[in-house]
Amino acid sequence: GSGMVPSWGPVATAGDVAALAVDAPAVAVLEAYGDGADDADEVLALTGRVLGVLQAWLVAPAFESGTLVVVTRGAVPAGGDADVTDPAGAAVWGLVRAAQTENPDRIILLDTAAGSGLDVTGVEMEPVLAAVLATGESQVAVRGTVLSAPRLVRDTTGAAVPDISDVPAAFDSEGTVLVTGGTGSLGALLARHLVAEHGVRHLVLVSRRGPEAEGARELAAELGELGAESVAVTACDVADRDAVAALLGSVSAQHPLTGVVHTAGVLDDGVIGTLTPERLAYVFGPKVTAVGHLDELTRDMDLSVFAVFSSASGLIGAAGQGNYAAANAYLDAVAHRRRAAGLPGVSLAWGLWEQSTGLTAHLGEVDQARMSRGGVLPIAPAEGMGLFDAALRVPAALVVPIKLDLRRLRADAVAGGGLPGLLGGLVQGGRRRARAGDRQAGAGDSGGGLAARLAGLTSQEQEALLLDFVRGHVAMVLGHAGIAKVGAETAFKDAGFDSLTSVELRNRLRGATGLKLAATIVFDYPSPLALARYLHREVVPDGVTAGPDVDVDEARLRRGLASLPLARLRAAGLLDALVRLVELNDHEPPIGMVDDADDETAIADLNVDGLVQLALGDK
């Protein structure tokens, strides 16, 4: 469909954002294309530039109600063409997905076809922008005249967790399998599984510390008992090309390399505002750089399996993991590229593993609560290996082994937590509220519900309800069973809030109230009570309440008002309002048409609500 395009302007750097803020068009367009070098330096340069623009744009007051459209070219496999022609652009998608989760309804990803010639100087950008904004989707690919949005679908080819006997012989028992991160908890779990269930007899387990890693020697011995004939545990930095080349050269000619499983990875979590190019580079090392070397240096070998362990965070956009999401989205792109070139390649974008395994071992109670509240349940080791086997049977470059509680997802979507668009196909009726015009209506509905609950309450009752409302959301974010643990005046920072939990609380309150709340709301109003009072001012117009601010002795108030001379009310500027109230509420004749004795009766007949609003000077 077509529609009017709001005012828009291009930005390429953080500096451009400041310049554009002078006119502040409704839409800013950032082009993020790789230069074709297809290496780690290019990925880092492009994601670093996009990060700079995101950071500048998100904090610029002039763009608070605007939309940033990040345009990539060939970064996602859309339509019939499954190839990804710009893996650096794919990493941008991972980074921006995290930014979208942290800042709902503010950023749109738009991928165009390679060679489409669509750019911010081209006239055809306007109708495309109009069409994309009209969809209400936050992630869109344009191929010709077709717009598509990403959705996860259930795999039916590898239905459920298979019996191992159904799995085709993916691994050659005479060949050698290389496992990176092989001495870590996931790598070790996988190595045992390959030997015991897949008949793999020759393994090279690689990690930074190699044989010096904790439990490495015991693991090698255990694999021997399970049936492995040779297990080499090697120290190697897989981000070092020469080291990887030497490692591959050390594999025995009698048992050539036939399989690669890359499980290595590191985390360095932080919300978009706190990330830096250095923090991108740190996480990219064992992911982007290492997989680039493994992909390039094994291309002439006869591999039957090239599997990389990626993360669903790169697809769903885990808040606080922009750098990790970008690195994993790049891994997914490498698998697509390999498959398009006729080579084996599969990326397994794992959900949440049980806490004992390496990368999730750092997760605290709050992180675990966040994941499970989002409907993502932890995968037990045995389940995970079953999912690994199922993934090998799926004829796709990207598989998402994840355990989801769909009922929880649906409930969370309804409660204002929203639902990532990617999961919309799995949850009926849970599609995220549309953006654009629909977005305003959706937000208003939520706020209207809250306003309706507050109607008819006294000011104190309203504040108490809002305080419990805030405490309820705080308890949910912190993983508490109820609000009892949430003190009304306990500072958020003392309750355990960090930048990530602050972002989540803001987004939940935003979804539930329909208010545009600043990202700094938790710092501006640093306790549940302060935040509740702020919401009170925002949700209830002009502080109007349906009852008194103090407990009133009604009979005494009526007597007092009845004894007031009319001139006193007139002098206080209350008489006109009183006349209108009497006309509207009691259908009595106006005060000027009856004598003074009847005036007093008219006032005496007003209910307390009317009297108090009158006394407060509310017109």
Side-chain angles (χ1 to χ4, degrees), residues 100-106 135-139 151 316 413 416-424 427 429-435 438 507 510:
Q100 288 177 329
T101 303
E102 293 171 24
N103 303 277
D105 303 328
R106 296 198 60 194
T135 65
E137 292 286 343
S138 61
Q139 299 168 22
R151 293 287 185 271
I316 297 172
L419 183 70
L422 193 76
L423 302 178
V427 178
R431 200 185 159 282
R432 192 161 176 171
R433 286 198 305 271
R435 301 182 72 271
D438 299 344
N507 290 344
R510 196 172 174 272

Side-chain angles (χ1 to χ4, degrees), residues 308 310-311 314-315 328-337 347 349 397-398:
V308 291
S310 161
S311 166
L315 298 165
N328 285 298
Y330 178 84
L331 256 58
D332 302 340
V334 169
H336 282 292
R337 298 232 69 184
S347 186
L398 176 58

Side-chain angles (χ1 to χ4, degrees), residues 375-401:
V376 180
L377 304 175
I379 297 166
E383 284 178 316
M385 290 301 95
L387 288 167
F388 174 78
D389 295 339
L392 294 182
R393 295 167 59 216
V394 179
L398 176 58
V399 183
V400 185

Side-chain angles (χ1 to χ4, degrees), residues 296-374:
E296 175 208 345
L297 295 168
T298 62
R299 286 212 161 204
D300 297 334
M301 300 179 186
D302 189 17
L303 300 186
S304 57
V305 175
F306 187 100
V308 291
F309 278 25
S310 161
S311 166
S313 67
L315 298 165
I316 297 172
Q321 292 196 320
N323 49 1
Y324 190 61
N328 285 298
Y330 178 84
L331 256 58
D332 302 340
V334 169
H336 282 292
R337 298 232 69 184
R338 284 184 62 90
R339 207 160 262 254
L343 296 162
V346 62
S347 186
L348 285 76
W350 292 97
L352 179 68
W353 281 87
E354 270 186 4
Q355 202 155 343
S356 55
T357 60
L359 284 177
T360 52
H362 76 292
L363 291 177
E365 182 189 343
V366 172
D367 301 291
Q368 290 276 50
R370 178 185 308 114
M371 299 288 282
S372 64
R373 190 171 54 256

